[in-house]
Amino acid sequence: MDPFEYNANPSRVVFGPDSIQKLPDELRRLKLSSPLLLTTPQQVSSGEDLAKILNAASIKPAGTYTNATMHTPSHITNEALEYMKSASADSVVSIGGGSTIGLGKAISVRTGLPHLCIPTTYAGSEMTPILGETQDGKKTTRSDPAILPGTVIYDVNLTMTLPTSLSATSGVNAIAHAVEALYAKNKNPIITMMALEGTKALAESLPTIVEDPSNQAARERAQYGAWLCGVCLGSSAMALHHKLCHTLGGSFNMPHAETHTIVLPHALSYNAPAIPEAMKLLAEVLPGSNGNAVQGLNVLLEKLKVKRALKDYGMKEEDVAKAAQIAVSNQYPNPREIKEEPIKELIRRAWAGEDAKDDL
Ligand code: NAD
């Protein structure tokens, strides 16, 4: 067995249908009585439902800030902090996807207030001590144990409204965390177990959700998989795939989950020659792989009926070379050496929506 180090990220998880009803108990456990609620403009009604649950339990929210925005722009964080000061909150509760949770992290790490999360997508931010923030159009990411939310409530009912296409891409975004954990420079057997179990749960449940979005059992299994994959993201050094998506999102404004979905088979096939063991393990949990993990991903994406080309989201062909330059300019650990020409071809294929091939 290879030697390894393992650090558990301490957070409390409450999982199950209707677990949102346990928020009052969770706040009381922590001796908190005046939470600031956070939502996006699209999920205002989730915040209202939460306020009703708290009011019924005689907990009066300090207020609700409803302007959470993708990539945690600093002006939004400052606005939310101003709102919070006037409301004298003793804690933060974020209900939503990675954008809302990102705002909760940004507030919590600046103020030291406890952060409780109620995730409604499969992106996994709630399980990580990582925060990406944007200032003047530039996104920077940092990691700090103080960023990790203390309590996470997974309630499948809140995911029932997640649109089918976002369910599919958000689920593949989660699988991407697990894939890169399998060959991370700090990989270890505990995270490997979670990565494989999380991938299996998502690969089996997402096609059912796409066919029948109201299937609660499939939604619950996807949420379970997303939790495990989020733990992988929070515990492992991510490599080529996440760096490419960070570049495409940060510098070319590509949408988060959709970009992860398009890039994943290409990034995996680039690294494949350097990671035979990870490829074998992954193929075992991807239905239809026939022993080839890239094929397994292709089969999954086919079933999920997702868009496969970055150009579908407005990326221009002349940006392919620029993206490759940015992606190779920062050094980061990756199992295979990063070279500009094959990376450019990888991005071109993702841009054009071609199948991933093993000839890069
Ligand atoms: P999101 O939070 O941006 O949500 C996308 C849209 O879907 C929003 O309008 C949201 O209100 C809506 N939505 C969310 N859940 C819904 C539901 N159940 N029903 C109906 N609508 C719903 O999307 P995301 O993919 O979860 O998060 C993306 C952001 O999170 C990016 O900024 C990304 O960088 C960040 N992220 C960070 C980490 C981390 O560890 N720091 C991890 C993953 C993602």
Side-chain angles (χ1 to χ4, degrees):
M1 216 171 173
D2 292 333
F4 63 88
E5 290 173 11
Y6 172 68
N7 281 304
N9 280 331
S11 70
R12 175 174 161 81
V13 170
V14 180
F15 190 100
D18 287 329
S19 52
I20 193 177
Q21 301 291 343
K22 295 181 181 162
L23 179 64
D25 288 346
E26 290 302 313
L27 288 165
R28 286 196 187 104
R29 244 187 105 248
L30 298 165
K31 303 194 174 20
L32 301 169
S33 57
S34 184
L36 173 73
L37 311 183
L38 303 176
T39 73
T40 59
Q42 294 79 17
Q43 287 181 285
V44 171
S45 65
S46 303
E48 289 167 355
D49 293 346
L50 210 50
K52 278 186 206 145
I53 292 170
L54 292 173
N55 282 322
S58 305
I59 294 179
K60 195 170 165 354
T64 308
Y65 179 81
T66 59
N67 210 13
T69 305
M70 178 93 86
H71 304 313
T72 331
S74 55
H75 70 278
I76 294 289
T77 301
N78 292 337
E79 192 180 272
L81 282 167
E82 278 306 310
Y83 179 79
M84 202 191 76
K85 269 188 218 147
S86 65
S88 42
D90 65 5
S91 50
V92 191
V93 175
S94 56
I95 180 162
S99 298
T100 313
I101 293 168
L103 178 60
K105 287 175 168 180
I107 293 175
S108 166
V109 75
R110 281 169 177 77
T111 59
L113 292 186
H115 178 198
L116 297 86
C117 272
I118 309 177
T120 64
T121 69
Y122 306 133
S125 176
E126 66 280 359
M127 281 294 134
T128 82
I130 307 163
L131 172 62
E133 298 182 279
T134 319
Q135 180 146 30
D136 304 325
K138 196 167 176 284
K139 188 166 178 177
T140 50
T141 301
R142 60 181 159 137
S143 181
D144 179 334
I147 291 171
L148 184 75
T151 301
V152 180
I153 298 179
Y154 286 106
D155 184 339
V156 66
N157 295 333
L158 301 169
T159 64
M160 301 306 291
T161 51
L162 191 62
T164 313
S165 61
L166 186 54
S167 301
T169 54
S170 189
V172 179
N173 182 192
I175 291 176
H177 308 329
V179 166
E180 292 229 287
L182 290 174
Y183 54 73
K185 73 170 187 331
N186 58 348
K187 74 180 160 75
N188 64 66
I190 308 297
I191 293 298
T192 296
M193 264 192 312
M194 291 193 186
L196 295 172
E197 172 74 357
T199 302
K200 186 169 171 0
L202 282 157
E204 289 175 359
S205 58
L206 292 175
T208 309
I209 293 171
V210 167
E211 291 308 318
D212 175 13
S214 63
N215 186 318
Q216 197 193 27
R219 290 270 189 194
E220 198 163 21
R221 195 152 154 68
Q223 197 175 34
Y224 163 71
W227 163 38
L228 297 178
C229 293
V231 175
C232 295
L233 175 66
S235 309
S236 314
M238 294 289 121
L240 175 69
H241 170 78
H242 279 75
K243 302 297 169 186
L244 286 176
C245 294
H246 187 87
T247 300
L248 291 163
S251 304
F252 301 95
N253 210 20
M254 289 290 101
H256 179 81
E258 293 83 346
T259 302
H260 273 269
T261 302
I262 293 169
V263 171
L264 187 60
H266 297 280
L268 184 64
S269 66
Y270 181 88
N271 277 333
I275 51 163
E277 178 63 14
M279 293 300 283
K280 183 173 150 288
L281 294 174
L282 204 48
E284 285 167 12
V285 292
L286 288 171
S289 72
N290 256 334
N292 179 329
V294 174
Q295 185 184 325
L297 282 178
N298 281 332
V299 169
L300 176 64
L301 298 190
E302 198 65 35
K303 284 192 213 155
L304 298 183
K305 304 179 184 124
V306 288
K307 287 188 183 163
R308 301 293 297 271
L310 294 172
K311 66 179 179 185
D312 291 342
Y313 294 103
M315 186 173 172
K316 302 201 174 56
E317 188 165 13
E318 57 264 31
D319 288 338
V320 168
K322 270 190 242 163
Q325 265 168 13
I326 299 173
V328 300
S329 63
N330 299 327
Q331 287 305 308
Y332 46 85
N334 190 64
R336 185 177 157 197
E337 192 188 349
I338 307 282
K339 291 194 175 151
E340 187 166 339
E341 269 316 300
I343 292 295
K344 190 169 137 196
E345 175 58 10
L346 182 167
I347 298 173
R348 192 202 62 74
R349 287 176 188 174
W351 170 83
E354 293 173 13
D355 273 345
K357 282 189 263 165
D358 59 4
D359 58 350
L360 285 171

